């Protein structure tokens, strides 16, 4: 199959059109399921079917979002609107979006009180942190903490998210940010392998870098470096 190169404006318009075509019916489906979830006259079997359908619709919505984001990265149409941002607000928004996924997990945040505003795209960096925090929560035990550290290193800002999970095999560390690559894990058949690749695309669009390493004592550490 031969790929046809398109100007940025055309590619952007095409992706926007595809996004609308996919998302519009899905929003209607999710709205109908939400209405059914609030219905009082529903037996246990019907309720289970409705809840399962709602979960699958939400998962499909995430997959569509990931595919479109990855298409923008590949087409070089990912645009960042950089403005001075409060890192505490960015992190707080990410944790708020995760909502019930955090549950009663302890999230240790080490954030300097004298850190000034940092230039970044607020929405896109929230998206990156949501994915990294979600991975940390997903691949570590419920009774272990998630550690978030923010540091100013010369002309760079470092945001590190660490867990105490099973870590990443050494041979996979350099590949986890590749498109469609997933580290083989027991009982983990979900996901497209696009999340970390999208995070890499967003971070690099900021002129930054992202890397993964294994923590001393076990677990994974993902570090995002952004130019200040």
């Amino acid at each position: 199959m031969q790929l046809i190169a398109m100007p940025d404006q055309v590619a952007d318009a095409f992706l926007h059109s595809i996004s609308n075509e996919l998302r519009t019916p899905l929003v209607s489906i999710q709205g109908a399921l939400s209405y059914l979830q609030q219905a009082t006259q529903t037996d246990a079997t019907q309720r289970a079917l409705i809840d399962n359908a709602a979960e699958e619709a939400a998962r499909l919505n995430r997959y569509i979002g990931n595919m479109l984001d990855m298409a923008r990265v590949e087409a070089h149409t990912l645009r960042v609107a950089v403005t001075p941002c409060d890192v505490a607000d960015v992190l707080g928004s990410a944790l708020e979006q995760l909502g019930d996924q955090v549950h009663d997990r302890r999230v240790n945040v080490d954030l300097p009180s004298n850190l000034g505003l940092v230039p970044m795209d607020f929405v896109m960096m929230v998206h990156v942190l949501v994915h990294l925090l979600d991975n940390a929560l997903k691949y570590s035990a419920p009774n272990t903490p998630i550690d978030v550290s923010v540091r100013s290193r010369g002309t760079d800002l470092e945001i590190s998210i660490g867990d105490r999970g099973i870590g990443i095999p050494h041979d996979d560390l350099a590949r986890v940010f590749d498109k469609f690559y997933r580290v083989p894990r027991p009982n983990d058949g979900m996901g497209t392998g696009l999340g970390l690749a999208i995070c890499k695309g967003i971070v690099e669009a900021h002129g930054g870098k992202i890397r993964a390493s294994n923590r001393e004592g076990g677990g994974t550490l993902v570090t995002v470096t952004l130019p200040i």
Side-chain angles (χ1 to χ4, degrees), residues 194-217:
L194 288 177
L196 287 177
I198 293 167
C199 289
K200 180 182 178 184
I202 292 173
V203 171
E204 290 182 346
H206 281 78
K209 297 179 181 179
I210 186 170
R211 66 183 186 276
S213 59
N214 286 314
R215 304 179 73 183
E216 292 185 12

Side-chain angles (χ1 to χ4, degrees), residues 127-164:
H127 185 63
V128 169
L129 294 183
V130 165
H131 185 80
L132 298 183
L133 286 165
D134 180 54
N135 271 5
L137 291 165
K138 189 184 301 180
Y139 297 115
S140 59
N143 61 340
T144 58
I146 304 300
D147 300 312
V148 181
S149 174
V150 180
R151 287 286 179 271
S152 176
R153 307 275 188 194
T155 59
D156 291 330
L157 177 80
E158 282 189 357
I159 305 174
S160 298
I161 297 176
D163 62 55
R164 289 299 180 186

